[in-house]
Amino acid sequence: MNMYSLLNSLLLVICLCCFTAVNADTPADCKFDDLVGVWKFSVGEGGHDNTLNCSDPGKSVKEVSIELLFPDVAIDLDYGHQGHWTMIYNQGFEVTINNKKYFAFSKYEKVSGKIQSVCNETLPGWVHNVDGKDWACYTGMKAAPPSVVSQKTRLYRNNPEFVEKINSVQSSWKAAAYPQHETYTLQEMVRRAGGTSSKSSRKRLASAKVKPEVAKIASQLPMEFDWRNMAGQNFVTPVRDQGGCGSCFAFASMAMLEARLKIATNNTINKVFSPQDVVDCSEYAQGCDGGFPYLIAGKYAQDFGVVEESCTPYLGKDSSCTKNSCKRYYASDYSYVGGFYGACNEALMRIALVKNGPLAVGFEVLDDFFQYKSGIYQHTGLQDKFNPFEETNHAVLVVGYGTDAASGLKYWTVKNSWGDGWGEDGYFKIIRGVDEVGIESMALDSFPIIP
């Protein structure tokens, strides 16, 4: 046989081998949702080489707890180390973490003559060092869905595709990726949006119906209003940044008391109050895990008073309460707009805003809100699968309202506490009159006492 014929024969053998491999896949059919979560890997005795046969994995000598997060992050739950993983088509997955590579096919079984995927278990697989040494057998079993543990270690990651999709499905607002978000863990981002303790245990109330007499008063209000520009005067204090602490309830409360004290004294008293004092000392809230403005700008300010920022500077973390002799500022009265929880609506909010000053409100933060850059926010219904997120109630300060000339959309102007590099110099607009994400269902009135 000449060299040409020999090469052709070799190529034919290679092609046949490849064809066989392609058709030798397992019948398992597992998807991302089946695999993300906490896995327990039962690992056998190590020290073998790549001739190890794992058809019978033998006795387990240790367990490794790994959490797989969409789409490619792996977390070692025992030591907090981070690695990566990938699905192998729909057949199984490989995890690379702590200098180890774990690979196994997903389990399947035959039931009544039909193949069924068992995606929460693996067939016996192989684990070895990344340099190909120290082989062992292992099996994997999914123990739980994605946990809160990984939120403490995994950094938030911007998703350009998510931003692009937001901008493609609507035109009332623009989305953007914020580099500063990638300095926070998922837990810190949850806290930044209100914290888990801010979430209501029941489904939120919708805004109340507008009574005819209220509608009449509201119809006589200005078409545009903004406490940042009242005949050239600004009655709103500067935007601040709460960081990774769930202290938005304290920032919104302090901002409300600051603005209303400026209004009550025609801008002659200009104070910045301390959110850290609230985080550290208020038993009406849960520190960096969240709270509600009603209990802070209202009850705490009336019962205990608040102090200036210079007395207890902001740390952005839970700390011990320090007793001091600093002057305290109090509130004389407080209530939900409408008189009670569930009585609020857009008309009553505008009346209270114009008459009394900026309002502390709560609303549901959903995935797309983090990407807000400009325009009039409306929830798109999209979810960011790169950053699994739970709903929270975020507290902010409504300072004005208006109507967009081009689109005719009515909006609220709202002061956030994520720094002036987010949104429109720290502010955002949100559609008004439809109780978007609950922003018109829980507004607070509180009245500081002039010192």
Side-chain angles (χ1 to χ4, degrees):
M1 180 181 290
N2 60 33
M3 185 62 66
Y4 180 79
S5 300
L6 178 62
L7 286 173
N8 277 340
S9 298
L10 287 172
L11 286 173
L12 178 60
V13 170
I14 291 170
C15 289
L16 287 173
C17 289
C18 292
F19 180 79
T20 302
V22 169
N23 286 276
D25 57 354
T26 75
D29 182 14
C30 300
K31 301 175 176 61
F32 272 112
D33 290 345
D34 299 318
L35 301 182
V36 293
V38 177
W39 284 79
K40 298 288 186 183
F41 292 167
S42 298
V43 183
E45 188 173 342
H48 302 278
D49 60 22
N50 61 3
T51 62
L52 177 65
N53 183 353
C54 287
S55 57
D56 180 4
K59 183 180 178 181
S60 171
V61 297
K62 68 175 179 178
E63 278 202 343
V64 179
S65 296
I66 303 288
E67 178 159 16
L68 307 182
L69 297 169
F70 182 90
D72 65 346
V73 174
I75 304 291
D76 174 357
L77 297 184
D78 297 316
Y79 300 101
H81 299 149
Q82 183 168 310
H84 65 270
W85 73 285
T86 182
M87 289 182 65
I88 310 299
Y89 187 49
N90 61 348
Q91 307 289 293
F93 58 91
E94 183 182 57
V95 180
T96 304
I97 195 168
N98 295 342
N99 197 42
K100 297 282 189 181
K101 279 181 175 285
Y102 299 82
F103 166 71
F105 289 106
S106 295
K107 187 175 179 180
Y108 60 91
E109 53 192 19
K110 204 168 190 178
V111 179
S112 300
K114 294 183 179 179
I115 297 295
Q116 290 187 359
S117 299
V118 185
C119 296
N120 61 341
E121 295 183 46
T122 72
L123 295 173
W126 302 263
V127 54
H128 56 77
N129 290 347
V130 293
D131 61 4
K133 299 177 181 178
D134 191 17
W135 285 62
C137 301
Y138 84 101
T139 57
M141 177 171 288
K142 186 175 175 181
S147 72
V148 178
V149 176
S150 63
Q151 290 188 336
K152 296 180 180 179
T153 55
R154 181 191 164 191
L155 291 174
Y156 181 93
R157 192 171 92 184
N158 284 317
N159 182 354
E161 291 181 2
F162 184 54
V163 171
E164 184 179 345
K165 194 166 186 180
I166 292 171
N167 289 328
S168 69
V169 300
Q170 52 79 47
S171 59
S172 71
W173 61 284
K174 294 295 182 184
Y178 290 92
Q180 62 265 37
H181 285 171
E182 296 190 336
T183 65
Y184 296 108
T185 65
L186 288 177
Q187 182 190 57
E188 289 171 330
M189 288 295 280
V190 170
R191 285 181 163 186
R192 197 161 164 80
T196 53
S197 295
S198 71
K199 186 176 180 180
S200 177
S201 60
R202 298 187 307 162
K203 186 177 180 181
R204 68 171 176 84
L205 296 174
S207 59
K209 291 183 178 180
V210 180
K211 296 179 180 179
E213 58 271 26
V214 172
K216 183 176 180 181
I217 296 171
S219 68
Q220 298 169 358
L221 295 174
M223 295 297 292
E224 309 273 339
F225 194 88
D226 194 327
W227 278 108
R228 296 173 299 172
N229 185 7
M230 298 295 296
Q233 288 197 79
N234 181 4
F235 291 93
V236 182
T237 50
V239 170
R240 301 183 65 185
D241 193 338
Q242 70 188 75
C245 172
S247 52
C248 60
F249 68 98
F251 276 89
S253 297
M254 298 305 99
M256 179 180 182
L257 295 174
E258 292 161 3
R260 290 192 169 200
L261 190 56
K262 286 165 65 74
I263 292 166
T265 62
N266 196 28
N267 249 341
T268 59
I269 296 181
N270 189 354
K271 302 293 182 183
V272 176
F273 294 129
S274 169
Q276 191 67 45
D277 172 73
V278 173
V279 169
D280 293 345
C281 301
S282 176
E283 295 187 15
Y284 298 154
Q286 289 72 49
C288 281
D289 284 329
F292 298 93
Y294 180 91
L295 294 173
I296 303 305
K299 187 170 179 59
Y300 183 75
Q302 186 178 75
D303 293 350
F304 299 98
V306 300
V307 300
E308 292 184 54
E309 174 68 14
S310 57
C311 176
T312 309
Y314 189 62
L315 300 175
K317 62 182 181 179
D318 291 310
S319 184
S320 58
C321 181
T322 303
K323 300 297 181 183
N324 53 60
S325 58
C326 297
K327 178 180 176 60
R328 291 198 166 263
Y329 299 79
Y330 294 85
S332 62
D333 194 15
Y334 60 93
S335 66
Y336 282 116
V337 172
F340 58 89
Y341 179 58
C344 187
N345 56 46
E346 184 267 350
L348 287 170
M349 279 179 62
R350 284 195 294 126
I351 293 169
L353 177 72
V354 172
K355 181 181 177 182
N356 303 324
L359 303 167
V361 302
F363 72 99
E364 293 177 350
V365 169
L366 302 174
D367 298 46
D368 59 358
F369 183 74
F370 285 113
Q371 275 65 50
Y372 173 88
K373 182 62 179 175
S374 62
I376 301 173
Y377 173 77
Q378 300 179 71
H379 178 47
T380 59
L382 300 175
Q383 289 184 311
D384 184 1
K385 289 187 177 181
F386 276 100
N387 303 288
F389 189 71
E390 51 190 303
E391 294 178 14
T392 58
N393 284 325
H394 186 43
V396 289
L397 189 74
V398 173
V399 302
Y401 62 83
T403 303
D404 181 69
S407 65
L409 291 176
K410 298 177 180 179
Y411 61 83
W412 297 108
T413 302
V414 191
K415 179 185 180 183
N416 202 356
S417 52
W418 293 352
D420 58 13
W422 178 89
E424 297 181 345
D425 299 323
Y427 287 79
F428 67 95
K429 295 185 181 76
I430 184 170
I431 191 167
R432 172 169 60 92
V434 295
D435 194 26
E436 185 73 356
V437 289
I439 199 166
E440 290 159 6
S441 62
M442 192 171 60
L444 176 68
D445 250 337
S446 182
F447 301 89
I449 297 174
I450 300 175

